[in-house]
Amino acid sequence: MLLSLSIVIPAFNEAMRIKSSLNQIRSFCDRAHPSYEVIVVDDGSSDSTVETVLEMAKNWKNLRCLRLENNMGKGYAIRTGVLKSHGDWILCADADLAMPIEQLDAFLLAGETHQVVIGSRFHHGAIASKPPSILRKVLGRIFHAYVALILGRGFSDTQCGFKLYRDQEAVEIFKRLTIHRFAFDIEVLYLAQQLGYSIAEVPVTWNNDSRSTVRILPDSLKMAVDVLKLRFRHGRWR
Ligand SMILES: Nc1nc2c(ncn2[C@@H]2O[C@H](COP(=O)(O)OP(=O)(O)O)[C@@H](O)[C@H]2O)c(=O)[nH]1
Ligand SMILES: [Mg+2]
């Protein structure tokens, strides 16, 4: 099967981490899925993310770099990449590639029967080969409990940065997206449900990267407010 795959990577000040992630993607895709494109969406970085990606693109025709003038948020960056992608399948992955790319094949398999496939770090069978710090673990649990309280127990992990979509369904979801920062993942799941798509949760193996771009206090507060907005707009999970 000739598979056409787009990998969308949102990147905000990722000059230090993105090269190694892109190299891993390149060696895997060249071998396993040669019909692919990688779209890095620079989210108004102030470091040398763009230069790093453009340098790699010089001898890698599958790599493209889209640039947002100002920092718009992870959700907006992904939306930009998804709406510019050409693949039949779209994988959205974080720049640190905490979920190794080799798991893509399990996601594609689940994609044969579901339109949206989301990674889960907390589903039975998930493995943290490099576990997060206690602080990140506690904050993750608090956020998960908060989402369950406000929206109901819909999904085991809404925030995993590894999600696969079929192309048309991804466009339908992302063109409706209104939440542009980290809580966008939750709106994606609402939209997928409303559009009648089936969603698979696939346990992932993940290596926590302690270098996060997330600013714990301001980003968490913004997320909490956005979850409330979604609750009042759409009600609880179905
Ligand atoms: N913090 C932050 N990350 C962004 C933004 N826009 C895009 N991103 C990307 O979103 C992803 C977040 O992943 P990461 O920093 O590893 O977060 P964590 O794994 O939840 O700690 C990375 O690929 C970032 O580069 C933004 O405005 N803020
Ligand atoms: Mg990360």
Side-chain angles (χ1 to χ4, degrees):
M1 178 183 67
L2 199 62
L3 165 122
S4 144
L5 170 73
S6 297
I7 301 178
V8 174
I9 303 177
F12 178 57
N13 292 339
E14 294 287 3
M16 300 294 286
R17 318 196 277 186
I18 201 158
K19 201 168 173 180
S20 128
S21 300
L22 289 174
N23 279 327
Q24 290 168 48
I25 289 173
R26 185 176 194 173
S27 62
F28 174 75
C29 288
D30 280 352
R31 176 170 42 81
H33 300 291
S35 168
Y36 73 98
E37 64 176 353
V38 178
I39 303 175
V40 174
V41 186
D42 177 69
D43 192 11
S45 298
S46 54
D47 70 356
S48 57
T49 300
V50 170
E51 291 75 9
T52 306
V53 176
L54 291 178
E55 185 59 35
M56 292 182 80
K58 280 185 188 161
N59 61 8
W60 184 11
K61 64 174 179 23
N62 311 56
L63 177 63
R64 278 202 286 158
C65 185
L66 303 180
R67 300 171 71 165
L68 298 170
E69 202 58 35
N70 300 306
N71 176 245
M72 301 296 288
K74 179 180 175 184
Y76 190 93
I78 290 188
R79 175 181 191 273
T80 303
V82 166
L83 298 182
K84 291 266 167 66
S85 65
H86 299 106
D88 300 330
W89 297 92
I90 300 172
L91 174 71
C92 299
D94 283 352
D96 59 352
L97 211 58
M99 279 53 73
I101 187 71
E102 287 74 15
Q103 303 176 73
L104 175 63
D105 291 340
F107 278 61
L108 288 167
L109 194 66
E112 285 177 12
T113 46
H114 299 80
Q115 288 99 355
V116 176
V117 184
I118 65 172
S120 173
R121 295 160 295 176
F122 311 115
H123 203 280
H124 182 71
I127 299 168
S129 44
K130 214 159 109 214
S133 68
I134 302 283
L135 177 65
R136 277 301 294 252
K137 218 172 179 169
V138 169
L139 285 169
R141 292 258 165 90
I142 292 175
F143 183 73
H144 183 67
Y146 174 76
V147 171
L149 179 75
I150 307 287
L151 305 180
R153 296 198 173 276
F155 300 94
S156 61
D157 184 8
T158 55
Q159 302 311 114
C160 182
F162 202 86
K163 293 188 170 70
L164 180 76
Y165 307 85
R166 287 182 172 270
D167 58 348
Q168 282 172 11
E169 284 78 2
V171 169
E172 290 306 318
I173 290 171
F174 280 94
K175 75 182 187 195
R176 292 172 169 81
L177 195 75
T178 64
I179 302 286
H180 294 162
R181 300 222 169 249
F182 288 111
F184 82 97
D185 276 305
I186 292 178
E187 189 175 32
V188 161
L189 296 171
Y190 264 116
L191 291 167
Q193 282 191 338
Q194 285 166 6
L195 288 159
Y197 302 155
S198 87
I199 302 168
E201 291 183 88
V202 173
V204 290
T205 296
W206 56 296
N207 309 302
N208 180 65
D209 185 342
S210 52
R211 294 167 304 171
S212 171
T213 62
V214 178
R215 294 158 310 154
I216 288 178
L217 202 59
D219 288 335
S220 305
L221 284 176
K222 184 89 181 64
M223 281 168 88
V225 171
D226 284 344
V227 169
L228 278 179
K229 269 192 208 162
L230 288 168
R231 164 70 177 83
F232 287 112
R233 196 180 305 161
H234 302 291
R236 287 163 70 88
W237 300 124
R238 265 192 254 141

